[in-house]
Amino acid sequence: MIKAILIFNNHGKPRLSKFYEHYSEDTEQQIIRETFHLVSKRDENVCNFLEGGMLIGGSENKLIYRHYATLYFVFCVDSSESELGILDLIQVFVETLDKCFENVCELDLIFHVDKVHNILAEMVMGGMVLETNMNEIITQVDAQNKMEKSEFFPFFSLYRHLSFSLPGRTGRHSPQEFGWYCRCTCSCCICRKEHEPSRNAQKHQHRRHQHKSAKLTLLQIAA
Amino acid sequence: MALKIVKGSIDRMFDKNLQDLVRGIRNHKEDEAKYISTCIDEIKQELKQDNIAVKSNAVCKLTYLQMLGYDVSWAAFNIVEVMSSSKFTYKRIGYLAASQCFHESTDVIMLTTNQIRKDLSSPNQYDTGVALTGLSCFVTPDLARDLANDIMTLMSHTKPYIRKKAVLIMYKVFLKYPESLRPAFPRMKEKLEDPDPGVQSAAVNVICELARRNPKNYLSLAPLFFKLMTSSTNNWVLIKIIKLFGALTPLEPRLGKKLIEPLTNLIHSTSAMSLLYECVNTVIAVLISLSSGMPNHSASIQLCVQKLRILIEDSDQNLKYLGLLAMSKILKTHPKSVQSHKDLILQCLDDKDESIRLRALDLLYGMVSKKNLMEIVKKLMLHVDKAEGTTYRDELLTKIIDICSQSNYQYITNFEWYISILVELTRLEGTRHGHLIASQMLDVAIRVKAIRAFAVAQMATLLDNAHLLTGNTQHSGICEVLYAAAWICGEFSEHLEDPMATLEAMLRPKVATLPGHIQAVYVQNAAKLFSTVLCGQEGAPADSKVAQETSQLLIDRLPVFVQSDNLEVQERASCILQLVKYIQKLQQKDVEVAEEVTALFAGELNPVAPKAQKKVPVPEGLDLDAWINEPPSGSESEDEGRKTKGKAVFAKEESRHTKPRYTEVDEKELAKRREVRKAEQANNPFYIKASPSSQKVYQEAVGVEHIPVVQIDLSVPLKVPGMPMSDQYVKLEEERREKNKTDRKKKDKKKRREKGRQRRGDSGPESEEDITPAHMVDIVTEEMPENALPSDDDDKDPNDPHKALNIDLDKPLADSEKKLPVRTHRPDEVLKSPIEDAEGLEVTSEPKKKSRKEKKDKESKKDKEKKKKKHKQEEGEDLMEAGSEEPVQSKVTNDVAAQPPASTPEASDLDFWLSNAPVPSDPQEAAAVTDAPPASTPDAASGVAAVVPDSEPEETKSSKHKKKKQKREKDKKKKHHHHHHHSDGAREESVQNGTVEDEEPLPPMSNYALLAENSYIKMMKQDADEVCDIQGNLHDGSQVVVSVIFENKCDSFIKSMEFNVMDSLNSKLQRPEGAGPHDSLTVPFHLPPGISNEARFIFSVQSIVMPQKLKGTLTFIVKTEDSSTHEKLDFKLHFTCTSYLITTPCYSDAYAKLLESGDLKGSSLKLEGINQPFHHLLARICFHHHFSVVERIDSCASMYSRSIQGHHVCLLVKTADQTVSIDAKCDEPGLLRNVLDEIKLTFSQC
């Protein structure tokens, strides 16, 4: 079971929090702070697992995280989840975000938390993994966005101008580059069989070791 | 209309939307809270409007604010409003908000039930999807109960998108509403084979989650999962399944055996590290579960260790971490294979990643040996010095102590070294683990008598330098050490070189700044020291002045403590102060007081095992739950309160009472027991003889004077405060070993010269045994109460929500259960009183009975004749099937008809599926499978789980002979046949698997015995010993549960089955209350043609020493279209002594202790001409006689079992050239004799 999914930035500001068990708002904030504290003091090149903080179940739970430029993606899971599997899931999550937002950056997450929640809901439901196939997730998210649009069809263009537009495939046509995260080639092959290899998987393999120093334009703006 | 919408949306332009809110917050960094509070006011205004668009916008903003930590529960009703919008856009916003902030105590949730139900049945799949997603986060028991049916319907939705969500959410529903599990489970199982991979994966997910908590209920799904595992290509699903198998194998070692091969294949073939890792993990779990029964898996272990080494050596820190983690699992059972990678693990200790260092530390624990302990600890001490960060340092400290103290200080050869290590550790500043060090010091000083002198010297130094420890950090935990130091110096003050100095150190004014409990110990031990000092001084003549000075010292210093604000300190100090004053008075009168003062502190403290208290058995005849005084009848609620309270008080008191009981056993009795035990040990083959010295100490333990004081090598400087000394020990130790080695070599050479050729080559690496401890040190074992139970079980958390889901899923659904209960109240147990049932049947069958009576008589006569003829004809065949009539008896009591009929086809499928794999079955595991421990009587091993439809009416009575082999063959055939119908796939798998196995397969064993059979019905005794509640049985007699399978073999309906057994003195069928002793029990089901079902009957047994045989009758009515006849079938129930044994795992140390205790009587048995492999032999004993293997070394194994009344039965099985000798021990000789006879019989038949 996944107990919680947290996204916060390098300063500990929450960008998304999803708890699959109930905590009071105060406790939730404390958990986020504690988790940030645990995760942020770790070096870049250490392993991505650590024991959970006291507030969220202590050593029974594991924190599995990935650090992408300015953001930490942290999954708090219990022993029934495979550690490497969850790492892959985070990867899938981020890739999906990237596709849905087209070159996602922290700003996207800041201003569109609801959309991120909707995407996450297609992957994890009630603490259990619902779907790991990126294409399937994107199909469903797109279909729902389309439905939203169709509900406002007569005034769709108007709404777009009122900054009500939904992130979708329209708009920016920048080349699909997501050089800001690592495609972990050695430990994470979980999605290989299901998904066709990502468009520039080859590139990523080479980029794996440079990703941390790579320039991250969009995310730097956000910071 | 359109205009209105336009107007609405233009209104909206002036509202802030989420983006505006976020932007605003970012622009108001300095007064964020104020800004947000104005925003919340705005939101409140927006929520008051009617426009749903405005409302949903407000709710959307609230969701964001919730994430920032603001409580938004006040808007719960508005959230519900938005949820119920017909527009998907708003609905989604509403559900998202609900999923973020609703929980079980949100009261508006109950308003949502109908809305959610509507959404679930919406034609739009995304409405349904969004509702399911939301519901998964805030489902309550009420919602779960009300919506369970709707969700179950959705599990068969046409759209896979909905199906997978519905399947997943069922897990949450089960948790909140456990009653839904059984009705929903068949459909959940179907979904495992759903064509859509997403749905399949969801189902696997849910079942894995369920099975993780209650694995034994899901064992029967193993074949299905096995199939999935070999066919699926989805790594995510594979990982889940493999993890699940990891949880199942401990319950069923046969499963593990079957898994090893496909898992090994996966390990070799997969490229996904995550999958590889989980495979390795599960293989480890399998090996752990097999380790007791089957060694010979070195290849698999090697493979695992090899793969893990690759992971650990990888540059990826994640893999390194996981590799170490898995390695530590292997370590527990196969330490040798891990030890060879010591280099790698020590290397990891230097890793920059703390998580990895911690994991490596875990591993080190198991890698130490006598030889390398000092070296490893030295390395760790270096790390302690280097470590920054207190957490890691504390972790190191605990690990050092763990490593050294493990298995009773097994690896410590030099305790002086260990004490110095502990002293060195006290120099750690700011550690939280002072108490840990302290307890180690105490433990070592108390239990290792030889080290006391050294320990006391060291502690005296510590006390002298106490200011170094306390420093300014008063609340640092390290001052705890002083507690130990003071106590040791006081208690063993006779070893002190200069007790006066120490006494002085203990009474320094600075002591008053220590924590209260430490001061208390100081004061008390100062008194002890005082007595020692007095002794010394009065020994020397005419030193009364000095003695008086000592008293004066105490009188001067103690008042500080009398003023302490700690009660304990105050009390002790004032007591002792008065005492000393009195002593001083006496001294002034020149009275010799030393002896009397010493008497105050005479006596030795013995270490008591930590669990000793828990293991004190409840004495016979003491019922802890019985009232001592009947409670006065009062109002019920009051009673309730008192009851719980009373219990708690009672439990506490009880534990207090029991303690002295054992210390009070009088000396003579003890001595006598000890003598007996010693005599027994002397010729006990099981007894692992301790070194003679340890025995000596045990004897001498009574007298304190005879403490073997060991010569301490004084080349070691004793007092170097603040300087590490342990290194010197390391060096010394090396020198000593070197010397020993050369000595040995010399001896060897001599020997060689004398004897010419000696087999032993030049000793290569030093072996463990070669290392002799520096001092002969006896470690006093901790005391345990007599008759301590060998079990080690710890209670599980009673509050676990998953406990409610511990539901047997293999039982067929009763009609009433087919549908989910939609009642408002939790359904009561669907139990019908057996009496009622019986009565009802009686009434209906009575008239028929009478009218049919004559006819029936005739028929039965005919029948009998027929039977006789047929019997002759078919004897051969019949014999094969018939159950045996071994002298077996048991007490059986009546059926609790309420027991829902448990059909076993599923379980027996699994049995078959598993038994094809040649594995020695551990009966305990099998027990978990079949829900009743298999206890086939040795002769009745015919495993007819299902019966081939037979056109010819077969008639049999139980027969006394059997040709086992034939029978087995036939059984096998039948099983195959049967299985074919059931699960083709699984069978193919298993057959394949069976052929691939290289090891010699074990003959299949089963636990069904044919009880009786006629043309209508067939009864099979599945088993004769399930014990409902072992604990309970230990106290109040014993219960034996017999499962009987009834199978209808004719074409007509069989009803009104009544089961009756003639009670014997010893055993009784348990009948429902109010029934007479000869009344029969109604079997709680009817049998349509060709159907079989199982009923269980509970028997109560008094003496289990003798085998038992009970006669019984089954009467039933056969109903055809136009008539019905009353029929009868006689049978005999046999209960071997074996069937009273319960497979109980036993740890080897508990086992050794048990044998040591000397309460067991021995007996032995020799079997000639056994030519089956040893592991078959063991498996056979395990399976048929319910033993478990404690330890196996080559062709010798020790086995253990326990009777339902708590008798221990221990076997030592040895084999050599077709001869098997079994030495047995048991505290009940009669039982043992019978069990041995039965074992003999088992083997005489093969």
Side-chain angles (χ1 to χ4, degrees), chain A residues 17-18 22 29 42 46-48 78-80 111 118 122 126 129 131 140 144 147 151 159 186 190, chain B residues 9 19 67 69 88-89 92 99-100 103 124 126 161 164 172 205 212 236 243 273 318 353 355:
Chain A
S17 69
K18 181 90 206 165
H22 176 69
Q29 293 304 309
R42 293 173 65 83
V46 301
C47 71
N48 296 3
D78 69 10
S79 64
S80 72
F111 287 106
N118 293 339
E122 295 303 321
V129 179
E131 186 57 71
Q140 301 298 351
Q144 291 179 51
M147 223 176 94
E151 283 182 344
Y159 271 84
C186 53
I190 186 165
Chain B
S9 45
Q19 283 74 38
M67 184 183 80
F88 174 73
T89 316
R92 183 151 81 162
S99 72
Q100 289 296 87
H103 50 95
N124 182 340
Y126 292 114
Y161 177 74
K164 71 182 179 195
K172 295 276 171 168
N205 232 329
R212 197 165 64 92
W236 191 265
K243 269 192 163 268
M273 279 307 200
N318 291 332
D353 187 349
S355 317

Side-chain angles (χ1 to χ4, degrees), chain B residues 317 320-321 324 345 347-364 380 383 387-389 392-393 395-396 399:
Chain B
Q317 297 284 318
K320 193 173 274 206
Y321 175 90
L324 289 169
I345 285 148
Q347 209 178 307
C348 288
L349 268 188
D350 296 322
D351 201 285
K352 56 194 175 304
D353 187 349
E354 188 177 300
S355 317
I356 286 175
R357 288 199 304 258
L358 287 176
R359 291 284 86 80
L361 272 182
D362 283 344
L363 273 172
L364 269 187
L380 290 180
H383 280 278
E388 67 275 0
Y392 179 60
R393 213 172 48 177
E395 191 62 33
L396 272 170
K399 269 285 131 46

Side-chain angles (χ1 to χ4, degrees), chain A residues 1 13-18 20 22 25 28-29 42 45-49 51 62 78-85 87-88 107 110-114 117-118 121-122 125-126 128-132 136 140 143-145 147-148 151-152 155 159 162-164 186-187 189-190 193-194 208, chain B residues 5-6 9 12-13 17-19 22-23 26 32 60 64 66-71 87-90 92 96 99-100 103 124 126 132-133 136-137 161 164-165 168-169 171-172 205 209 212 233-236 239-240 243 271-274 277-278 316-319 321-322 325 352-353 355:
Chain A
M1 288 279 282
K13 285 248 182 232
R15 295 299 174 218
L16 175 128
S17 69
K18 181 90 206 165
Y20 293 101
H22 176 69
E25 274 78 15
E28 287 185 2
Q29 293 304 309
R42 293 173 65 83
N45 45 1
V46 301
C47 71
N48 296 3
F49 317 116
E51 286 185 350
K62 272 212 179 77
D78 69 10
S79 64
S80 72
E81 300 294 342
S82 147
E83 291 89 348
L84 295 175
L87 272 186
D88 285 347
L107 280 174
I110 294 172
F111 287 106
H112 300 281
V113 186
D114 48 342
H117 268 296
N118 293 339
E122 295 303 321
M125 188 176 132
M128 280 182 288
V129 179
L130 179 67
E131 186 57 71
T132 51
E136 174 71 16
Q140 301 298 351
Q144 291 179 51
N145 288 343
M147 223 176 94
E148 275 198 348
E151 283 182 344
F152 298 99
F155 306 99
Y159 271 84
L162 294 173
S163 78
F164 197 73
C186 53
S187 58
C189 305
I190 186 165
K193 275 187 185 162
E194 277 185 276
R208 202 187 148 227
Chain B
I5 298 174
V6 172
S9 45
R12 290 217 41 217
M13 283 177 66
N17 64 13
L18 175 61
Q19 283 74 38
V22 175
R23 209 165 287 131
R26 286 162 69 83
E32 197 182 289
C60 185
Y64 182 78
Q66 196 270 345
M67 184 183 80
L68 297 184
Y70 290 85
D71 177 24
K87 280 223 164 73
F88 174 73
T89 316
Y90 303 143
R92 183 151 81 162
L96 174 61
S99 72
Q100 289 296 87
H103 50 95
N124 182 340
Y126 292 114
L132 285 172
T133 309
S136 72
C137 292
Y161 177 74
K164 71 182 179 195
K165 286 197 168 196
L168 265 196
I169 203 179
Y171 177 65
K172 295 276 171 168
N205 232 329
E209 203 59 50
R212 197 165 64 92
T233 52
N234 179 344
N235 282 350
W236 191 265
I239 287 176
K240 281 280 170 190
K243 269 192 163 268
S271 62
M273 279 307 200
S274 43
Y277 174 69
E278 294 306 336
D316 187 322
Q317 297 284 318
N318 291 332
L319 298 183
Y321 175 90
L322 294 175
L325 200 64
K352 56 194 175 304
D353 187 349
S355 317

Side-chain angles (χ1 to χ4, degrees), chain B residues 308-375:
Chain B
L308 289 179
R309 188 174 173 113
I310 294 173
L311 290 188
I312 296 172
E313 280 173 339
D314 199 287
S315 61
D316 187 322
Q317 297 284 318
N318 291 332
L319 298 183
K320 193 173 274 206
Y321 175 90
L322 294 175
L324 289 169
L325 200 64
M327 202 67 122
S328 62
K329 287 182 195 153
I330 301 186
L331 188 68
K332 277 172 207 143
T333 46
H334 302 91
K336 286 246 170 68
S337 16
V338 182
Q339 269 157 12
S340 52
H341 301 281
K342 200 180 102 200
D343 54 320
L344 190 61
I345 285 148
L346 284 175
Q347 209 178 307
C348 288
L349 268 188
D350 296 322
D351 201 285
K352 56 194 175 304
D353 187 349
E354 188 177 300
S355 317
I356 286 175
R357 288 199 304 258
L358 287 176
R359 291 284 86 80
L361 272 182
D362 283 344
L363 273 172
L364 269 187
Y365 177 84
M367 309 209 9
V368 290
S369 61
K370 279 185 180 158
K371 194 176 139 199
N372 62 18
L373 176 74
M374 284 187 169
E375 177 197 338

Side-chain angles (χ1 to χ4, degrees), chain B residues 837-851:
Chain B
D837 237 354
E839 271 172 7
L841 287 166
E842 207 81 46
V843 174
T844 51
S845 58
E846 200 79 1
K848 276 179 200 162
K849 227 190 235 170
K850 273 183 186 167
S851 66

Side-chain angles (χ1 to χ4, degrees), chain B residues 544-572:
Chain B
S544 65
K545 240 191 196 165
V546 188
Q548 281 185 38
E549 271 166 26
T550 317
S551 311
Q552 193 55 46
L553 177 73
L554 258 79
I555 293 170
D556 290 345
R557 298 281 178 85
L558 279 175
V560 186
F561 298 103
V562 177
Q563 288 157 15
S564 168
D565 55 356
N566 185 304
L567 261 187
E568 177 92 9
V569 181
Q570 212 184 78
E571 196 181 350
R572 287 182 192 228

